[in-house]
Amino acid sequence: MKQNRFLSLVVLAFLSIIFFSCKKSNNTIGLTIPKNVVFAFLADGKSLNEKLPWDSIKNNAAFKELIKDSSLSAVTKSAFENPENTGIDINNHFILFYATDSTNGYVAFEGYLKDTAKFKTFISSASPGISHSEKAGVHFYSKDKITASCKGNRFIIAGEVPGFNNRSKYDFMNEDSTSKPPTIETKDMTALLASLYDIKNNESLGTDSRFTAVSELKGDIHIWFNGEELMKSNIGAMAIMPMLNLTKLYNGNATGGAVTFDDGKITAQTLSFAGKEVEKIWKDYKGSKVNEDLLNNVQSNDITGLFAINFKPKGLEELIKLMGIEGIVNMGLSEAGITIDDFIKANGGDVLFAATDLKADSSGRQDANFVFAVSIGDKASFKKLIDAGKKISGNSASEKIAFNSNDKYFAIGNHKPYIDKFIAGGKTNLPFLNTISGYPMGGYLNIQKIISSMLTGKYLDSLEKEELLLSQNFWDNAVMNGGKLKNNAMEGYFEVNLKDTKTNSLKQLNQYLAQAMNLEKLRREKLAKDYGPSIDTTVTFVPPADTSVVTLPPAVSPK
């Protein structure tokens, strides 16, 4: 199979760290990242090299299969055998980020060098046809749309992402934009890379207090996502309805987090940020804690999934006003004979969704009890909502859609006996209650239960069952909580538990992914044997036709 050997250096950069780690409590690392990035992935290779040594990766069956590829050059194989042969300092921190500007988007991967001469040799011989140039102490190695560079003890590899430019270049919400198609320009990668080595402090993430707060979270991986920058790009512009101006919602929007690979589990802490208007709504109408009394109404210890949240309903009204759609919403609700005020008053501020007792029915199809429940605020207003719902649904309740209520709660679900039992209430033993108790929101997912139910499928072949068994022996459950505010940020916590509670989760992931890839390879081989080789459905990008005006010579009159 032919491969672009120059791209192998990028693959190598990812394989040499696999996962990233960052434990720095200061934000000096942010000084090397442009402030306008959409996404950033940070790491300190030392931490994860200690948790997952390269020799463990080399013993991975999938890695051994990869290294057998005859199309790999000798220099690439040498790098796979020992990443330090590239000259990269794999025990220092690495950064991967995506950014856009008025020209195009680009992805950059940067880190530090242990041996600059080795790096230059590796890059130069990674693929035929690489051009080399040097300017102001920066060495550039270019081929196609990818350019590698180094200066002193730093390296940066960047690739262009055509078409995903800043919305200022093409704003389809502008009435005149229909006559101006998006401009796709070629980025000067050498100029870009040169600028990345000399970012001014005030143009870097190092001066963003939000990013600093994220970088101070303890973890093996640090992730940064800037929603505001995304919405400024063509990607974000295509994701929203043109008639809505959501600027106040996404201005200042950003989320970051830190992931840690512990023994038997993977945990993540997150911080979410918003602009002044949304932040004020958070502060004024934040919830207190999930309603444990409501949770106890779930009359089953066989929980497949659950999510609960507590909030002040008035905050929803303020959010609708901020979006400028209060009139539209009231117009829609008026057809049912209610208003936003009725909805807000009727809501007690507690919401619960749960799925329980997942199993195969008599026909072999998966079935479960589903319930969506809310606490009741003003009873008169809530009655108006119920009456409106009955009017819309034709005043009917069937086996598929059933609802019931008492003085405190309203519940709707797919099985009436279960909904009636939910409203009757009782005491339930929820093993994850301690993790979500005391937080405005919390959730739980029983991964084991879901995989076990999938194993009961009638039409699974032997390899599909083996893949499911592999996952069943690996994953256990996931739990989350969040919603508290700290220093203008909304906190979150996520935890994924594995069946093996004693071995480091990163080591387990290495083995799990290797086995999963091998099973997938065997499955593809079986499909090719049974049904013939798959057809390549890769779509090749065709550049737009040249629409410039061309003056044609005068036609020759026939004699």
Side-chain angles (χ1 to χ4, degrees):
M1 181 179 64
K2 292 185 177 180
Q3 296 184 3
N4 186 330
R5 290 186 176 89
F6 184 68
L7 288 177
S8 67
L9 67 92
V10 180
V11 175
L12 172 65
F14 283 105
L15 287 176
S16 65
I17 52 176
I18 302 297
F19 297 98
F20 295 109
S21 164
C22 183
K23 291 187 176 181
K24 295 183 180 294
S25 61
N26 54 47
N27 194 13
T28 56
I29 192 172
L31 297 175
T32 65
I33 309 173
K35 199 167 191 173
N36 67 332
V37 296
V38 174
F39 174 83
F41 198 67
L42 296 88
D44 186 335
K46 182 179 180 181
S47 175
L48 291 179
N49 275 316
E50 291 173 352
K51 291 185 176 182
L52 183 63
W54 188 253
D55 285 343
S56 297
I57 297 174
K58 286 170 61 177
N59 290 328
N60 179 311
F63 182 90
K64 291 180 178 179
E65 185 69 23
L66 173 66
I67 207 72
K68 291 179 183 178
D69 190 344
S70 60
S71 67
L72 293 177
S73 66
V75 68
T76 302
K77 285 188 176 182
S78 173
F80 280 140
E81 286 294 333
N82 183 0
E84 292 189 339
N85 288 337
T86 64
I88 295 174
D89 184 357
I90 63 173
N91 288 312
N92 212 319
H93 62 254
F94 295 84
I95 304 167
L96 172 73
F97 65 83
Y98 168 74
T100 63
D101 57 25
S102 60
T103 305
N104 278 321
Y106 66 95
V107 176
F109 176 74
E110 62 179 74
Y112 286 83
L113 299 174
K114 191 174 183 178
D115 190 323
T116 304
K118 276 187 179 181
F119 180 78
K120 291 178 179 178
T121 301
F122 169 72
I123 292 295
S124 299
S125 54
S127 176
I130 295 176
S131 63
H132 170 256
S133 61
E134 187 270 333
K135 184 177 181 181
V138 183
H139 289 263
F140 303 98
Y141 304 84
S142 304
K143 184 176 182 181
D144 300 327
K145 292 184 179 294
I146 298 177
T147 300
S149 66
C150 64
K151 179 181 181 182
N153 68 336
R154 288 180 62 197
F155 76 89
I156 305 177
I157 302 171
E160 190 174 3
V161 185
F164 295 116
N165 56 339
N166 193 293
R167 196 191 299 173
S168 61
K169 199 71 178 175
Y170 174 68
D171 189 347
F172 73 84
M173 290 192 290
N174 187 315
E175 292 180 358
D176 297 329
S177 64
T178 53
S179 62
K180 296 180 292 184
T183 303
I184 299 178
E185 301 177 6
T186 301
K187 184 181 293 294
D188 185 343
M189 297 304 293
T190 56
L192 169 69
L193 288 170
S195 70
L196 291 178
Y197 285 102
D198 297 303
I199 301 177
K200 296 178 181 178
N201 286 1
N202 61 355
E203 296 176 354
S204 74
L205 274 180
T207 55
D208 191 322
S209 60
R210 302 170 303 170
F211 180 80
T212 298
V214 170
S215 69
E216 290 175 348
L217 295 174
K218 182 181 179 182
D220 294 324
I221 294 175
H222 282 72
I223 300 171
W224 173 257
F225 173 75
N226 191 323
E228 180 177 358
E229 289 298 330
L230 175 69
M231 297 309 294
K232 289 178 180 178
S233 70
N234 285 344
I235 305 173
M238 292 185 289
I240 62 173
M241 298 174 66
M243 69 285 296
L244 295 179
N245 182 6
L246 304 181
T247 305
K248 290 183 179 179
L249 287 186
Y250 67 73
N251 275 355
N253 178 279
T255 299
V259 180
T260 302
F261 297 97
D262 291 318
D263 290 349
K265 64 182 179 180
I266 305 167
T267 61
Q269 301 175 74
T270 63
L271 294 175
S272 297
F273 306 88
K276 291 181 179 180
E277 290 90 348
V278 175
E279 185 183 302
K280 187 177 187 304
I281 294 176
W282 285 359
K283 289 180 177 180
D284 293 346
Y285 304 103
K286 64 180 183 296
S288 55
K289 58 182 180 179
V290 293
N291 188 333
E292 293 185 23
D293 180 65
L294 178 61
L295 293 176
N296 278 322
N297 278 38
V298 179
Q299 297 301 295
S300 174
N301 291 321
D302 188 5
I303 309 294
T304 305
L306 179 147
F307 179 78
I309 185 171
N310 171 267
F311 66 101
K312 293 179 181 176
K314 185 70 174 177
L316 181 60
E317 181 179 9
E318 294 302 315
L319 191 61
I320 290 172
K321 290 180 180 178
L322 184 65
M323 294 170 64
I325 58 173
E326 186 179 13
I328 297 174
V329 174
N330 267 325
M331 186 182 299
L333 293 176
S334 65
E335 295 183 7
I338 58 176
T339 65
I340 293 177
D341 190 55
D342 292 327
F343 183 84
I344 300 303
K345 287 181 179 179
N347 199 317
D350 299 297
V351 178
L352 167 72
F353 173 79
T356 68
D357 309 295
L358 178 63
K359 60 183 182 298
D361 62 17
S362 57
S363 64
R365 293 178 300 181
Q366 298 299 321
D367 191 25
N369 290 319
F370 295 98
V371 59
F372 175 79
V374 297
S375 60
I376 298 173
D378 179 74
K379 293 180 176 59
S381 297
F382 194 83
K383 186 178 183 304
K384 289 181 69 175
L385 262 63
I386 295 297
D387 292 341
K390 288 179 178 180
K391 180 181 178 181
I392 294 172
S393 64
N395 204 26
S396 65
S398 66
E399 292 183 358
K400 294 298 181 183
I401 302 177
F403 58 86
N404 199 349
S405 64
N406 57 23
D407 288 343
K408 296 192 296 183
Y409 306 121
F410 170 83
I412 186 170
N414 59 334
H415 294 145
K416 183 165 177 52
Y418 182 75
I419 296 302
D420 292 341
K421 190 177 179 182
F422 178 93
I423 291 298
K427 180 69 177 178
T428 305
N429 178 29
L430 301 177
F432 52 86
L433 186 59
N434 287 341
T435 305
I436 68 175
S437 178
Y439 293 88
M441 70 175 72
Y444 171 80
L445 184 67
N446 190 334
I447 306 174
Q448 273 287 301
K449 185 67 179 180
I450 296 172
I451 297 174
S452 296
S453 68
M454 294 171 68
L455 278 166
T456 62
K458 292 184 177 181
Y459 304 105
L460 296 173
D461 61 31
S462 59
L463 283 174
E464 288 172 329
K465 284 185 177 179
E466 198 169 344
E467 287 177 330
L468 287 171
L469 285 171
L470 173 65
S471 294
Q472 186 183 45
N473 291 327
F474 183 75
W475 305 104
D476 192 356
N477 61 67
V479 65
M480 65 79 63
N481 62 51
K484 289 186 177 181
L485 289 178
K486 181 180 179 181
N487 298 330
N488 302 324
M490 185 173 289
E491 297 179 307
Y493 174 80
F494 301 83
E495 180 179 300
V496 179
N497 295 295
L498 310 181
K499 290 291 290 182
D500 180 351
T501 60
K502 297 180 179 179
T503 307
N504 183 270
S505 54
L506 188 57
K507 289 183 178 179
Q508 292 190 60
L509 273 173
N510 177 49
Q511 293 301 317
Y512 170 76
L513 292 174
Q515 294 176 62
M517 289 173 66
N518 183 56
L519 288 172
E520 179 61 22
K521 176 175 175 288
L522 293 174
R523 192 183 70 83
R524 288 199 304 269
E525 290 175 351
K526 184 177 184 300
L527 287 174
K529 180 180 179 181
D530 294 344
Y531 304 105
S534 60
I535 300 174
D536 186 0
T537 58
T538 303
V539 177
T540 303
F541 173 75
V542 178
D546 185 358
T547 58
S548 57
V549 178
V550 179
T551 303
L552 299 176
V556 179
S557 302
K559 294 181 179 180

